Amino acid sequence: MSMEDFVRKLRERKAIAAGSTKDVEAQHKKGRLTARERINILFDPDSFNEIDTLVMPRYETYMGGKDSRYGDGVITGFGLVNGRQVFAAAQDASVMGGSLGEMHANKIVKAMRMALSYGCPFIALNDSGGARIQEGVDSLGGYARIFDANCESSGVIPQLSVILGPCAGGAVYSPGLTDFIFMTENSYMFITGPEVVRSVMQENVSQEELGGGRIHATESGVAHFLSLDDRECLLKVRDLLGYLPANNISDPPYVPPRDDPERRCPELEEIVPVDPGKPYDVRQVIASIVDDGRFMEVHELWAQNMVVGFARLDGYVVGIVANQPMHLAGTIDIKASIKATHFIRICDTYNVPIITLQDVPGFLPGTNQEYGGIIRDGARLIYAYSEATVPKLMLILRKSYGGAYCVMSSKGLRGDLLYAWPNAELAVMGAAGAVNILFRNEVKAAADPAARSQELVAEYQEKFNNPYVAASRGLIDDVIEPRDSRRILVRALRVTLSKRERHIPKKHGISPM
Ligand code: HXC
């Protein structure tokens, strides 16, 4: 055979691996793209390098299957995303439903371990019918090895899961172990499907209602990002990677700022009403302070009383954690605690300084919260702030009451540079509640109880509900004018970027769970 013949035969094999036109149409009919089309959107043009293209499914090898396909239903490899090296695995639903057999799992684990060795992010594009039935326990063993690689990679390289079709049964636990989960409206994840739910629980529920992208983005919080379709989703993945370092010993990408670091923000005085009872959208405050008003919100549709996400300040990536007075008056509840905890852990892992914007009346009271374990979940938040060794900056916009003051980046939790606006209220509780407890008898005995109560509330407000008591104790570092927020935070960030804090050596702590 001539070299030309060898090359022709190689090309034939690779063409089989690349899938047929019929397969493309089948995916498009479902409103989804093929694995290859997804790879092409995710990676910079012509930068993807496939590996293990010629791997064959084990069962087809020994069963001599008629529809034998190279690649075994998953494309793996590496390439550039915004010029940076990234590894990926994309399940190909056109080959045996993207089901996971032994060799399919081997390919994924190999790519994951390469990503871990070379300190590159790993992205899994999921679209699979789950464990390949014909391969039985070999398939289950494959899942376990993927989970193990997920755990080993956790905290070292960014792991992103992108759910673009079905992801059912135990298969959901690989995404569950990763840093971020992206879903489309057209994808679903569940531990057990609608049929099992119907027979065991006598509950009638559709796939979308049980585990559709929207449900996981709004109800369970399992999905951190929701997109309309594959393209939008993959472009969002590219955006997120722009805020993350390649691994835990690198810094996130710095982009020289166009926005003036000394820019004043007089609009903040309009955005935040002085009346502590009036709501506003804290995302407007974030947009005013950060570079170019750009904020990539995480968990946008879940636990909306807490807002978290990435932005840049003076060109450096920062993580923002902010109470949202527009929802539940910005109180902290179980979901908000879990949301903020996850985000703080991510920031700390990937060397992203945390900026906390506080306007919080306290924890959400009630049996729902107590029965649900707010004690445990609130404790997680404390643990995450305490354990974080990245720079921790804080700005109190208005209210900072009670336990909520303590748990969010306070001095006691080794917050680095903490600021408050002059209208800020730092106290154990609001004035009306405090007067009710401290002066109940005095108010009752007064000739005009309502007038006396008002007087006492005014006195309390004057004495305690301001930032100056905290400033006089060094519990905040300065009281600043709202319009100076950006320039002061930029300066605080610059001086804290060199922070190097180490933990006391131990096997690991026992964080509340
Ligand atoms: C082998 C599978 C398969 C599977 C699909 N196929 N799932 N082959 N093992 N798990 C094959 C089909 O036989 C079919 O082959 C082709 O893929 C396309 O499937 P369709 O059903 O025609 O496609 P569609 O209508 O789009 O439905 C997709 C689907 C459905 C929703 C994923 O196929 C399905 O429900 N599959 C089974 C899902 C499941 O129960 N998996 C096990 C979950 S438990 P042909 O030859 O006709 O093209 C699990 C445990 C994991 O995963 C444990 C981890 C610890």
Side-chain angles (χ1 to χ4, degrees):
M1 278 206 312
S2 67
M3 179 56 87
E4 216 172 79
D5 293 331
F6 281 116
V7 170
R8 184 175 43 75
K9 283 202 173 295
L10 171 65
R11 285 183 182 164
E12 274 169 20
R13 284 170 192 244
K14 290 208 168 174
I16 296 170
S20 70
T21 313
K22 171 178 158 278
D23 298 328
V24 176
E25 282 169 1
Q27 273 297 91
H28 287 184
K29 261 192 200 147
K30 291 178 195 159
R32 298 182 187 139
L33 299 177
T34 64
R36 234 159 261 285
E37 287 169 327
R38 289 167 177 163
I39 289 281
N40 287 341
I41 296 171
L42 178 62
F43 285 91
D44 297 349
D46 199 25
S47 76
F48 186 69
N49 307 277
E50 190 170 347
I51 53 174
D52 282 342
T53 320
L54 302 176
V55 160
M56 303 269 282
R58 171 85 83 153
Y59 108 91
E60 292 212 355
T61 310
Y62 62 70
M63 303 270 291
K66 58 180 167 36
D67 188 25
S68 179
R69 285 279 173 81
Y70 295 112
D72 199 13
V74 62
I75 298 171
T76 56
F78 60 94
L80 302 176
V81 175
N82 299 317
R84 298 160 72 212
Q85 297 286 358
V86 168
F87 277 78
Q91 290 180 314
D92 186 347
S94 72
V95 181
M96 290 176 279
S99 58
L100 184 139
E102 184 190 2
M103 303 311 283
H104 178 123
N106 283 356
K107 282 183 67 171
I108 296 177
V109 171
K110 190 202 248 187
M112 290 174 81
R113 295 215 171 269
M114 282 184 179
L116 183 58
S117 291
Y118 314 143
C120 303
F122 181 81
I123 301 174
L125 308 185
N126 292 254
D127 187 350
S128 167
R132 186 172 300 153
I133 297 159
Q134 304 89 316
E135 295 202 35
V137 74
D138 286 333
S139 156
L140 301 183
Y143 272 117
R145 281 182 285 115
I146 292 174
F147 299 163
D148 194 47
N150 282 133
C151 296
E152 270 201 68
S153 302
S154 179
V156 183
I157 52 168
Q159 299 185 85
L160 312 184
S161 298
V162 191
I163 317 298
L164 300 164
C167 181
V172 297
Y173 283 118
S174 174
L177 287 164
T178 59
D179 299 339
F180 291 106
I181 298 182
F182 293 72
M183 291 187 77
T184 60
E185 298 266 8
N186 195 9
S187 67
Y188 51 89
M189 295 175 87
F190 34 67
I191 291 280
T192 46
E195 289 305 326
V196 176
V197 172
R198 199 167 300 128
S199 67
V200 177
M201 310 298 289
Q202 286 81 50
E203 202 183 321
N204 265 321
V205 68
S206 68
Q207 279 179 344
E208 290 70 33
E209 289 165 337
L210 187 61
R214 183 154 288 276
I215 285 297
H216 283 309
T218 57
E219 292 297 321
S220 70
V222 163
H224 302 91
F225 299 96
L226 176 68
S227 301
L228 206 59
D229 56 29
D230 291 17
R231 170 172 286 276
E232 186 188 295
C233 187
L234 293 162
L235 293 178
K236 226 177 253 182
V237 173
R238 286 175 60 91
D239 282 350
L240 182 71
L241 283 171
Y243 290 103
L244 297 174
N247 52 60
N248 66 328
I249 52 169
S250 307
D251 286 327
Y254 167 80
V255 174
R258 284 172 305 176
D259 203 346
D260 179 5
E262 290 289 308
R263 174 171 59 78
R264 289 200 159 71
C265 316
E267 65 280 5
L268 287 172
E269 287 151 28
E270 301 299 318
I271 294 170
V272 180
V274 173
D275 178 351
K278 282 205 173 140
Y280 62 92
D281 187 349
V282 77
R283 286 173 298 195
Q284 290 183 344
V285 175
I286 297 167
S288 161
I289 292 174
V290 303
D291 291 359
D292 307 312
R294 291 187 60 164
F295 178 54
M296 179 154 196
E297 193 170 350
V298 177
H299 265 148
E300 186 182 344
L301 303 173
W302 186 67
Q304 294 181 40
N305 43 333
M306 189 74 85
V307 171
V308 302
F310 296 102
R312 280 195 161 76
L313 195 65
D314 197 25
Y316 298 100
V317 175
V318 290
I320 309 275
V321 179
N323 308 111
Q324 173 59 290
M326 247 173 52
H327 290 274
L328 297 174
T331 50
I332 302 177
D333 63 354
I334 291 170
K335 288 180 177 176
S337 302
I338 294 171
K339 174 171 168 174
T341 301
H342 166 262
F343 188 69
I344 292 163
R345 302 289 287 177
I346 293 279
C347 289
D348 192 42
T349 300
Y350 298 121
N351 310 312
V352 176
I354 300 163
I355 298 180
T356 304
L357 302 178
Q358 253 197 47
D359 188 350
V360 56
F363 281 89
L364 184 68
T367 47
N368 260 344
Q369 291 295 306
E370 299 294 353
Y371 294 177
I374 184 65
I375 295 173
R376 175 190 55 236
D377 294 312
R380 290 200 216 191
L381 183 56
I382 301 174
Y383 204 99
Y385 265 121
S386 169
E387 210 175 42
T389 55
V390 289
K392 293 180 274 196
L393 311 181
M394 201 246 276
L395 178 60
I396 302 173
L397 309 175
R398 227 167 41 167
K399 295 184 288 268
S400 177
Y401 288 148
Y405 155 79
C406 305
V407 307
M408 292 189 70
S409 206
S410 61
K411 268 292 175 213
L413 294 174
R414 285 169 292 152
D416 289 291
L417 279 161
L418 316 182
Y419 299 94
W421 286 357
N423 57 310
E425 300 179 357
L426 286 85
V428 172
M429 60 173 70
V435 166
N436 207 15
I437 292 169
L438 293 177
F439 304 107
R440 189 182 303 144
N441 293 337
E442 189 181 327
V443 169
K444 225 192 262 173
D448 182 347
R452 182 62 191 138
S453 173
Q454 261 180 14
E455 253 174 51
L456 287 165
V457 164
E459 266 175 40
Y460 181 95
Q461 260 164 348
E462 176 71 22
K463 200 165 168 192
F464 295 112
N465 277 9
N466 59 62
Y468 299 110
V469 183
S472 75
R473 309 280 197 277
L475 293 173
I476 50 174
D477 298 290
D478 205 1
V479 181
I480 65 167
E481 293 185 32
R483 63 183 54 214
D484 289 334
S485 299
R486 172 176 164 83
R487 55 198 288 270
I488 300 279
L489 285 172
V490 165
R491 291 168 181 212
L493 181 65
R494 284 177 182 167
V495 70
T496 52
L497 276 172
S498 54
K499 181 176 174 184
R500 292 286 175 267
E501 208 173 277
R502 293 275 175 270
H503 290 299
I504 299 165
K506 53 184 166 183
K507 190 171 176 190
H508 53 69
I510 304 172
S511 73
M513 57 190 99

